[in-house]
Amino acid sequence: MAASSAVSLLDIRLRRFGVGISNHELHLRKWRRRLLWFDGYPARRLSCSAVLAPIRRSGGCEKSEERRFDQKTSAHGAGIKTSSSAMPFASPKSRFVSKQEKFYPRCTPRLTGPQSRDTPPKRDTGIANEKDWGIDLLNENVNESGSNEDGSTWFRESGQDLGENGYRCRWTRMGGRSNDGSSEWTETWWEKSDWTGYKELGVEKSGKNAEGDSWWETWQEVLHQDEWSNLARIERSAQKQAKSGTENAGWYEKWWEKYDAKGWTEKGAHKYGRLNEQSWWEKWGEHYDGRGSVLKWTDKWAETELGTKWGDKWEEKFFGGIGSRQGETWHVSPNSDRWSRTWGEEHFGNGKVHKYGKSTTGESWDIVVDEETYYEAEPHYGWADVVGDSTQLLSIQPRDRPPGVYPNLEFGPSPPPEPDQPQ
């Protein structure tokens, strides 16, 4: 009786919420023209820093190898505003798309290769919705391959893996390769489920082009029951990286979002980039407790191989109209001369704000002003939004459970946190 109630606990909670189970910027104009290769950072991103560790196996139904480019600089550096470009690398039109796919890209009859996906990911695009991926798993086991008129080859395969506790992973893998091997790509789609109510939808893709540019990207969306609150939770994450084949340049990003049915929300991102002698980093986080308390923070820094370093960071905490903001902008020259300016605000909730600050050049201020307090007590994208955008995840059907067989609801130890920076 108790076990049966535990099995349906997640279903009941989801139905209750309407879910069916079936001011400082660094203007570095000196570097702007040299950084056209990279997309621009947002002027100010607001958001907590717990990294979304994978709950289950990631990278499809098999344990995947993490692909990260070498980082040759120290852990100092910062996000900077750069000019925006459409793509991080030039990616020519695929050299291995058949004539039929060129004229009828949506028509993919049997024994026709999958449409080429030799395009690297774009920077600063966050976590895509599931509909943007177009995940369409095949219902039967497939193992086919072929070649196109230009000599390029392709493959497509699908299947399912079964495990204990009702575990099932349905997957589809596809890829292609140009005739000379200079361009290739692979992409894997999967969905996972078990008898505890766990569901997962995911994508992993990688590739390279004729210019030598390479990339890797993974995306996941998970529904599970939180082991502490017993509430339904949806978590989304994405990792992206790309490396130039013509210069010492590359970038890496990790994004995560977590939501539960009572309004608790956490979002964040870690980013790293390099262009020849310059490197930069950015981290930001947002945390909403669902009861009106909010924490947001951002930390950006950068450095050059000559020893110049600079950065900017801030943090805000609010609850019930009362809270604080504080931050710092700093710069270090190659001969280790340091300049910094710190500032802060105290909001008392009565229309009065205490503002204070100082710098290493002797400037300072300490005043109380009449000023309205504004902050976002709730995320602009929350539980209801993520439920509405996760219809494919929620529609995943688990394996039929035989009568008298109940899922193992014991929770194991939490997985260790993942490193902040690429190794």
Side-chain angles (χ1 to χ4, degrees):
M1 181 71 177
S4 178
S5 299
V7 175
S8 60
L9 187 59
L10 180 58
D11 291 11
I12 294 173
R13 286 195 173 88
L14 286 173
R15 293 192 184 99
R16 186 180 303 163
F17 288 90
V19 181
I21 290 295
S22 23
N23 324 71
H24 302 284
E25 297 180 353
L26 303 176
H27 298 282
L28 306 175
R29 298 178 180 173
K30 174 181 177 181
W31 301 98
R32 182 181 295 269
R33 287 189 296 273
R34 302 186 64 189
L35 300 177
L36 290 176
W37 175 74
F38 292 92
D39 290 344
Y41 283 106
R44 179 170 175 172
R45 289 304 302 264
L46 311 176
S47 36
C48 214
S49 62
V51 175
L52 175 59
I55 299 175
R56 296 283 173 133
R57 289 160 281 185
S58 62
C61 301
E62 302 173 354
K63 185 175 180 181
S64 64
E65 173 187 1
E66 282 201 4
R67 304 171 179 85
R68 294 181 175 180
F69 58 83
D70 294 334
Q71 178 181 341
K72 300 181 180 179
T73 60
S74 64
H76 297 284
I80 53 178
K81 295 189 76 173
T82 61
S83 299
S84 176
S85 61
M87 289 186 183
F89 303 118
S91 179
K93 192 171 182 180
S94 170
R95 296 169 175 75
F96 46 97
V97 179
S98 67
K99 288 185 177 180
Q100 183 181 28
E101 289 170 332
K102 289 179 180 178
F103 291 98
Y104 303 97
R106 294 172 180 257
C107 179
T108 55
R110 243 2 220 297
L111 298 180
T112 297
Q115 186 174 354
S116 174
R117 298 169 181 261
D118 66 340
T119 303
K122 297 180 181 180
R123 290 188 59 249
D124 267 322
T125 52
I127 304 174
N129 289 328
E130 59 182 32
K131 63 181 180 181
D132 298 324
W133 282 104
I135 300 173
D136 186 11
L137 297 167
L138 301 177
N139 291 323
E140 69 273 11
N141 292 338
V142 170
N143 189 349
E144 56 190 16
S145 61
S147 59
N148 300 312
E149 295 180 359
D150 59 0
S152 60
T153 58
W154 58 268
F155 73 90
R156 177 167 48 212
E157 54 188 10
S158 66
Q160 72 172 2
D161 300 329
L162 305 179
E164 298 180 354
N165 213 26
Y167 172 82
R168 176 169 64 182
C169 175
R170 298 176 57 230
W171 54 269
T172 295
R173 185 179 295 112
M174 66 197 85
R177 191 169 186 267
S178 63
N179 185 34
D180 60 2
S182 61
S183 297
E184 62 182 39
W185 64 274
T186 59
E187 185 163 342
T188 303
W189 302 335
W190 69 87
E191 66 171 38
K192 302 178 184 179
S193 62
D194 64 22
W195 291 335
T196 68
Y198 178 89
K199 298 183 179 183
E200 178 183 318
L201 196 65
V203 175
E204 181 176 11
K205 60 185 296 185
S206 61
K208 67 176 184 178
N209 60 25
E211 287 70 34
D213 306 329
S214 60
W215 58 89
W216 170 78
E217 180 177 7
T218 185
W219 172 92
Q220 284 178 278
E221 190 173 53
V222 171
L223 167 71
H224 70 107
Q225 181 178 336
D226 182 71
E227 59 185 286
W228 303 111
S229 66
N230 289 327
L231 291 172
R233 176 178 287 190
I234 294 178
E235 302 183 1
R236 307 195 307 174
S237 64
Q239 294 187 70
K240 311 172 188 182
Q241 75 173 45
K243 186 176 182 180
S244 172
T246 57
E247 56 186 339
N248 184 15
W251 59 270
Y252 168 81
E253 295 179 353
K254 181 174 185 176
W255 301 73
W256 67 91
E257 299 174 355
K258 305 178 183 181
Y259 309 86
D260 80 9
K262 279 194 173 181
W264 178 91
T265 303
E266 181 180 297
K267 304 180 183 183
H270 291 174
K271 309 175 188 179
Y272 165 76
R274 178 178 179 87
L275 178 58
N276 298 324
E277 73 277 7
Q278 180 177 334
S279 302
W280 63 93
W281 293 257
E282 178 183 1
K283 299 181 180 183
W284 62 264
E286 299 181 357
H287 184 275
Y288 305 83
D289 71 350
R291 299 185 296 271
S293 177
V294 58
L295 165 68
K296 299 181 180 182
W297 61 275
T298 295
D299 190 3
K300 305 178 182 181
W301 69 103
E303 67 177 18
T304 69
E305 292 182 350
L306 298 177
T308 302
K309 304 175 183 179
W310 60 98
D312 178 61
K313 60 183 179 181
W314 61 265
E315 177 188 86
E316 69 175 33
K317 301 177 181 179
F318 282 96
F319 177 72
I322 301 174
S324 64
R325 291 188 176 103
Q326 58 186 9
E328 178 186 13
T329 300
W330 57 272
H331 179 273
V332 178
S333 66
N335 59 6
S336 299
D337 292 335
R338 180 181 176 86
W339 169 89
S340 70
R341 178 188 290 120
T342 59
W343 59 272
E345 298 178 356
E346 294 178 291
H347 295 251
F348 303 113
N350 58 1
K352 300 290 185 180
V353 179
H354 176 211
K355 298 188 175 185
Y356 57 93
K358 62 181 180 179
S359 74
T360 54
T361 55
E363 61 180 334
S364 64
W365 63 96
D366 193 334
I367 58 175
V368 176
V369 299
D370 294 325
E371 185 175 292
E372 293 295 326
T373 296
Y374 173 77
Y375 66 96
E376 295 176 337
E378 297 180 355
H380 70 280
Y381 186 95
W383 173 254
D385 302 292
V386 73
V387 168
D389 288 335
S390 303
T391 55
Q392 188 172 357
L393 172 71
L394 299 174
S395 65
I396 295 175
Q397 295 298 318
R399 291 165 57 190
D400 292 334
R401 181 166 51 86
V405 176
Y406 303 101
N408 177 10
L409 297 177
E410 295 181 1
F411 294 101
S414 299
E418 295 186 6
D420 291 347
Q421 303 294 341
Q423 298 296 319

